[in-house]
């Protein structure tokens, strides 16, 4: 008798950044890394782990956000002055957040970006408006060239979050960006020509709402912009 395929479960492979975080946790737990100890440089860690500096930087950024590490310009990155139990608990939470749950990822993105669009419409400067305009053009160019537009799309959304002038919202988005890229590539979101052309139009509408500083319209458009992604995510789980 052939057993049904749904008896098996999807294998979740840990990302390099999560494996780096796990190693740092083990170093702290074993006492090899103590409060105030300085980590090797990104280049040295990259060579030791055998991964690109992007993964090292992502791991450090996550650990900094949760207060496990502290980076001082020109001096380097150090283990924060927190209790071992606190640090271990924080790292465990980071690794749980890092495990890919597409629906939770999209839901979190919706919360961050709708509020960012509203704030950006109120607080945007001429400099941030120019950055958003350039991101709109870059995305459209990538679509017209038939290139992979995912990173250009995220650059547009990141520009809006930066324009909100809220550092916490910006940090939260930066933490989930690597998982957003991985998930969108895996699920091939917005890959048809029609979907991509609709996205171009929606980006331009968002830009205009922010340009005329209409927070309600900007928030509504962002919510609508991500609505189809939410519907897709619900259907996956």
């Amino acid at each position: 008798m052939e057993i049904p395929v749904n008896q098996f479960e999807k294998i979740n492979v840990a990302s390099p950044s999560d494996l780096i975080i796990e190693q740092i946790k083990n170093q702290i737990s074993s006492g090899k890394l103590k409060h105030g100890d300085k980590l090797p440089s990104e280049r040295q860690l990259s060579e030791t782990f055998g991964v690109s500096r992007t993964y090292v930087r992502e791991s450090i950024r996550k650990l900094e956000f949760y207060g496990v590490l502290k980076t001082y310009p020109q001096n380097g990155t150090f283990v924060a002055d927190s209790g071992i139990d606190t640090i271990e608990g924080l790292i465990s939470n980071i690794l749980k957040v890092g495990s890919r749950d597409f629906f939770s990822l999209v839901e979190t993105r919706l919360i961050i970006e709708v509020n960012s669009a509203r704030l950006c419409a109120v607080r945007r400067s001429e400099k941030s408006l120019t950055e958003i305009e350039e991101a709109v053009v870059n995305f459209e160019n990538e679509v017209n060239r038939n290139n992979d537009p995912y990173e250009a799309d995220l650059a547009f959304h990141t520009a809006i979050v930066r324009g909100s002038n809220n550092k916490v919202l910006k940090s939260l988005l930066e933490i989930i960006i690597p998982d957003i890229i991985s998930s969108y590539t895996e699920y091939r979101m917005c890959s048809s020509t029609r979907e991509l052309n609709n996205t171009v139009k929606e980006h331009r509408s968002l830009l205009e709402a922010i340009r005329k500083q209409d927070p309600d319209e900007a928030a509504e458009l962002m919510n609508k912009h991500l609505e189809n992604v939410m519907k897709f995510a619900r259907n996956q789980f």
Side-chain angles (χ1 to χ4, degrees), residues 76-96:
T77 301
F78 298 80
V79 178
D81 186 16
S82 302
I84 292 296
D85 291 341
T86 301
I87 288 178
E88 288 184 354
L90 285 169
I91 293 177
S92 295
N93 287 336
I94 295 168
L95 293 172
K96 286 176 185 175

Side-chain angles (χ1 to χ4, degrees), residues 34 58 60 77 110 176 205 209 217 232 235:
K34 300 180 178 66
E58 177 190 337
I60 290 174
T77 301
L110 187 71
I176 65 174
S205 296
E217 184 180 358
F232 179 87
N235 291 334

Side-chain angles (χ1 to χ4, degrees), residues 65-206:
F65 182 81
Y66 282 89
V68 176
L69 299 178
K70 178 71 176 176
T71 297
Y72 299 93
Q74 311 303 321
N75 287 325
T77 301
F78 298 80
V79 178
D81 186 16
S82 302
I84 292 296
D85 291 341
T86 301
I87 288 178
E88 288 184 354
L90 285 169
I91 293 177
S92 295
N93 287 336
I94 295 168
L95 293 172
K96 286 176 185 175
V97 170
S99 60
R100 292 242 296 282
D101 175 341
F102 187 56
F103 179 78
S104 295
L105 196 63
V106 174
E107 192 173 47
T108 301
R109 184 180 176 187
L110 187 71
I111 293 167
I112 293 170
E113 296 207 44
V114 169
N115 286 287
S116 293
R118 183 183 297 280
L119 289 173
C120 184
V122 175
R123 299 175 177 176
R124 61 91 173 155
S125 63
E126 288 304 313
K127 180 181 177 182
S128 59
L129 185 63
T130 299
E131 184 181 357
I132 296 167
E133 288 173 338
E134 290 174 352
V136 168
V137 172
N138 288 339
F139 178 82
E140 191 168 354
N141 287 340
E142 292 299 295
V143 171
N144 291 336
R145 293 172 187 146
N146 293 319
N147 292 334
D148 189 333
Y150 296 112
E151 292 199 22
D153 180 52
L154 279 173
F156 166 75
H157 288 271
T158 303
I160 290 176
V161 176
R162 273 199 293 269
S164 73
N165 285 317
N166 185 303
K167 292 182 179 179
V168 174
L169 287 174
K170 177 176 173 288
S171 296
L172 286 170
L173 184 65
E174 287 176 346
I175 285 173
I176 65 174
I177 275 177
D179 283 333
I180 290 173
I181 293 174
S182 298
S183 295
Y184 275 48
T185 302
E186 177 181 346
Y187 293 109
R188 301 305 301 169
M189 292 294 300
C190 300
S191 55
S192 73
T193 301
R194 182 178 62 82
E195 288 171 328
L196 290 171
N197 287 333
N198 283 340
T199 300
V200 169
K201 293 176 184 176
E202 289 171 2
H203 282 190
R204 290 200 169 276
S205 296
L206 270 162

